[in-house]
Amino acid sequence: EKGNMRQSQDTYDLCLKYKTAAMGPDHSSVGRTFRHMGHQHMNQYEYDEAIRAYSECVRIERLQDNVEYKHVIVALNSMAMIYGMTGRARKAVDSYSQSLAIQKAQLGDASIQVAETLNSMGIVYGMLCEFVSAIQCYSESLYVKIRKLGKDHEDVADVYFNLGLVHKRNGDHEAAINDYQEALRIRKDQLGEEHEDVARVLHHIGVVLSDMGEIGDAQRFYEECLRIRRLVLGEEHEDVARTLHNLGLVCYDSGDYERALECLEDAVELGRKKVGKRSEKVADSLHSIGLVYQKLANFKDAINNYEDAVKIRRARLGHDHLEVASTLHNMGDVYYMMGDLENAMDTYEEAYHIRLKKLGKHHVDVAATRNNMGVVLMKKGEHDDAMACFSAALIIREENLGPDNEKCSDTLHNMGLVHKNLKEYDEAIGRYEQALRVRRMQLGENDMKVADTLYNMAIVYANTAQYSKALERYKEALRTYRETGMSDDHPSVVNTLQWIKWAQKKLSKASRRDIHS
């Protein structure tokens, strides 16, 4: 077949040579040959040669007294398609725009061909992240297709689906859901309940709902998508693996860790069969399995899965890729929880250097790793270095997130811990008060983090013999711990109760001394 295509190309070359000699280089027949050569090159994935041939076709056709606009449109659209496929989106937009102007002039604004080109332009604008232009193109295409084909046509569903994609990327989740729901309604009506195109919409609705935090609804859509894909595509299709991965993530978010592991491990097994053991998709699922085991405090299995994910990501993406940094950061968290401070620091530092290189020193992910490095250094007793990390993290977080963000309160709380350890008690109270204000604002009165800050403030007051203030904060911490659902045998409650008794004794002794004096 390849030989036949080569022979066909040689024939076109010979034909072009004779036509050019006989008719001149600008004859319409020469232009048609260039168009056919463009198709031939495109079918052989010789995209640059195809572009040159189509460009010549357009140039020659435009020189004719009676321009064959349909040939110009075909050539321009083909060029645009190639530009889009080869990552030259701006040139694709230019070619589509030229084609669209001709189509509207020749066929009218309400032509189906105009609608198709508008839909294609929307895709390219999406590639350029120019979402307003993409939405405008899709909306115009949708208007024409509804008028010409009716509101229940499959082509109308396709445009709704594309609109959903771009609204989702633009952060307009409600609009995305509405678009997807319309696409779903039409596809169910036209194709039946159990069709892959129906499953595809269900999957994307699940993605948006997950982004919105509607975890229960997201899980419901993923489960239905999974059922259809297994039925239509078979148990071992890579799209089944993709849905299993996403379903595992929402199960993790909902706290159903057993189901999360089941889905993610199935996704890994399928991925290894269908796309290879060293696939990025397999690495994504291994990383997520690590998250689940980390949540379950099964630190050994968490580290094993993270290590497997890092190994694949380094091999596929390079050693300084952000996905590598993400897994290394999480490994640092696990090593810290295990009390392995040296490995925690090593992995955090590696993650930090990658993020710094790729994202710059003002990015929130850089701040996240810097903050955690500070926690490790504080645990090691290296308080000055810890404070340097926390200070850098706080500046970045306040700059990007605002001073009243929960992440800022975490760093402020950590800074308070360092000041407390250094016996800089006034500074510690100042940081704790800042952290407490933000935590109460963002999390409410009855959150664990609020209780932890109150408890640590009480320790500082106790260390400075301000027993009345210490007792007040211990009692507030106790009430908050209980409001979070902790029982009286929980270690935090037991510990706080003991300190309340201790503070009460101190106040009683002080009171007796005052009486005797």
Side-chain angles (χ1 to χ4, degrees):
E1 184 181 347
K2 196 170 184 180
N4 291 337
M5 293 181 77
R6 185 71 263 168
Q7 187 176 6
S8 177
Q9 190 63 51
D10 291 341
T11 302
Y12 281 129
D13 289 339
L14 188 62
C15 178
L16 182 65
K17 180 180 177 181
Y18 284 123
K19 281 187 176 182
T20 302
M23 305 175 186
D26 297 334
H27 194 276
S28 61
S29 182
V30 174
R32 284 195 293 276
T33 301
F34 271 118
R35 189 177 76 255
H36 292 311
M37 289 174 72
H39 296 335
Q40 184 75 9
H41 284 303
M42 191 172 179
N43 290 335
Q44 292 182 270
Y45 309 106
E46 297 169 351
Y47 294 132
D48 289 339
E49 291 87 344
I51 289 289
R52 282 191 286 271
Y54 286 133
S55 297
E56 275 299 291
C57 169
V58 170
R59 183 190 68 78
I60 293 168
E61 287 292 349
R62 282 174 166 166
L63 293 173
Q64 308 308 308
D65 292 332
N66 296 310
V67 179
E68 290 279 358
Y69 285 109
K70 63 181 180 180
H71 295 159
V72 178
I73 291 167
V74 168
L76 286 168
N77 280 357
S78 299
M79 289 168 66
M81 189 183 304
I82 293 171
Y83 284 135
M85 290 188 300
T86 55
R88 292 173 280 183
R90 187 61 63 192
K91 287 190 173 184
V93 167
D94 181 59
S95 294
Y96 278 134
S97 296
Q98 292 181 57
S99 174
L100 187 64
I102 296 169
Q103 289 175 51
K104 285 185 174 181
Q106 297 298 313
L107 306 173
D109 290 353
S111 161
I112 283 294
Q113 193 169 348
V114 166
E116 290 294 349
T117 301
L118 283 164
N119 186 65
S120 298
M121 285 182 73
I123 293 170
V124 177
Y125 276 124
M127 291 166 60
L128 290 165
C129 298
E130 296 180 9
F131 301 126
V132 173
S133 296
I135 290 166
Q136 182 178 348
C137 287
Y138 286 138
S139 299
E140 288 184 48
S141 175
L142 186 65
Y143 175 76
V144 173
K145 287 192 173 186
I146 289 174
R147 281 184 61 190
K148 291 291 185 178
L149 304 174
K151 62 184 178 63
D152 297 326
H153 195 277
E154 285 180 50
D155 286 358
V156 172
D158 293 343
V159 182
Y160 271 123
F161 182 78
N162 288 344
L163 262 172
L165 291 174
V166 77
H167 275 132
K168 189 265 181 190
R169 292 182 64 200
N170 199 33
D172 191 345
H173 294 131
E174 293 292 342
I177 289 292
N178 291 338
D179 295 330
Y180 286 144
Q181 291 284 14
E182 276 300 298
L184 184 65
R185 177 189 64 78
I186 297 167
R187 286 180 173 176
K188 281 183 173 180
D189 183 57
Q190 297 297 320
L191 305 172
E193 296 276 339
E194 295 173 341
H195 192 280
E196 167 54 17
D197 286 349
V198 171
R200 186 176 295 113
V201 183
L202 290 168
H203 182 96
H204 282 273
I205 292 174
V207 171
V208 178
L209 289 169
S210 179
D211 288 348
M212 294 171 69
E214 303 289 342
I215 303 303
D217 287 338
Q219 183 170 346
R220 180 167 56 85
F221 277 93
Y222 282 138
E223 294 278 13
E224 179 63 9
C225 172
L226 182 63
R227 184 189 69 80
I228 296 170
R229 283 184 161 169
R230 279 175 163 163
L231 180 69
V232 174
L233 304 174
E235 291 284 345
E236 297 189 349
H237 195 277
E238 60 185 282
D239 284 347
V240 172
R242 187 174 292 113
T243 302
L244 280 166
H245 175 85
N246 284 21
L247 180 55
L249 292 181
V250 296
C251 289
Y252 169 81
D253 288 336
S254 69
D256 187 353
Y257 302 124
E258 184 178 348
R259 175 72 168 138
L261 279 177
E262 177 189 336
C263 292
L264 291 167
E265 286 171 350
D266 284 350
V268 167
E269 184 180 352
L270 271 181
R272 283 172 171 162
K273 286 180 181 178
K274 304 306 292 186
V275 294
K277 293 182 178 180
R278 300 176 75 81
S279 159
E280 291 171 44
K281 295 296 182 185
V282 171
D284 292 344
S285 294
L286 287 166
H287 176 96
S288 299
I289 290 171
L291 285 173
V292 179
Y293 279 126
Q294 181 178 337
K295 197 73 173 179
L296 292 169
N298 186 340
F299 299 135
K300 181 180 177 182
D301 285 336
I303 289 293
N304 288 341
N305 281 278
Y306 284 143
E307 284 179 340
D308 288 345
V310 163
K311 192 180 300 182
I312 296 170
R313 286 177 166 176
R314 280 173 172 158
R316 300 289 296 180
L317 305 172
H319 283 251
D320 61 350
H321 195 277
L322 287 172
E323 296 293 338
V324 173
S326 175
T327 305
L328 287 168
H329 179 96
N330 285 11
M331 287 175 70
D333 291 345
V334 176
Y335 280 128
Y336 176 77
M337 293 174 190
M338 295 169 69
D340 187 347
L341 301 182
E342 294 303 323
N343 273 322
M345 197 65 192
D346 287 346
T347 49
Y348 280 142
E349 283 183 338
E350 194 174 350
Y352 169 71
H353 288 303
I354 296 170
R355 286 179 165 178
L356 187 64
K357 177 182 176 182
K358 293 292 186 179
L359 301 172
K361 61 183 180 180
H362 299 296
H363 196 277
V364 289
D365 287 350
V366 172
T369 305
R370 201 90 164 105
N371 180 79
N372 289 14
M373 289 167 68
V375 173
V376 176
L377 289 165
M378 178 172 61
K379 193 75 171 179
K380 294 172 71 176
E382 299 175 23
H383 298 304
D384 290 341
D385 289 339
M387 186 59 80
C389 287
F390 292 141
S391 297
L394 184 63
I395 289 169
I396 298 168
R397 284 177 163 176
E398 287 184 339
E399 182 182 277
N400 285 277
L401 306 172
D404 294 335
N405 187 272
E406 182 189 346
K407 296 293 185 183
C408 295
S409 76
D410 294 341
T411 304
L412 288 164
H413 179 91
N414 290 338
M415 294 171 83
L417 292 173
V418 174
H419 285 304
K420 182 191 73 173
N421 292 341
L422 292 171
K423 300 185 178 179
E424 298 168 352
Y425 294 127
D426 289 344
E427 291 87 344
I429 288 295
R431 293 301 187 182
Y432 285 142
E433 285 178 343
Q434 289 177 282
L436 184 63
R437 181 190 67 79
V438 177
R439 287 180 166 181
R440 280 175 163 163
M441 179 192 304
Q442 298 297 334
L443 305 171
E445 292 286 340
N446 301 323
D447 187 86
M448 185 75 70
K449 288 184 175 181
V450 172
D452 288 342
T453 302
L454 287 165
Y455 179 85
N456 279 284
M457 289 178 78
I459 291 174
V460 174
Y461 285 130
N463 288 345
T464 55
Q466 299 180 69
Y467 302 124
S468 178
K469 288 184 177 180
L471 181 60
E472 180 184 348
R473 291 304 194 194
Y474 279 134
K475 285 182 176 179
E476 286 184 78
L478 177 65
R479 180 193 61 77
T480 307
Y481 282 135
R482 284 172 167 166
E483 288 292 336
T484 65
M486 285 185 181
S487 61
D488 279 0
D489 60 353
H490 190 281
S492 294
V493 174
V494 171
N495 196 40
T496 307
L497 283 167
Q498 289 174 346
W499 281 112
I500 286 172
K501 290 179 182 178
W502 176 87
Q504 287 171 335
K505 286 181 182 178
K506 286 289 186 181
L507 283 170
S508 178
K509 285 182 181 180
S511 177
R512 285 198 298 271
R513 279 199 306 270
D514 290 341
I515 292 171
H516 289 306
S517 64

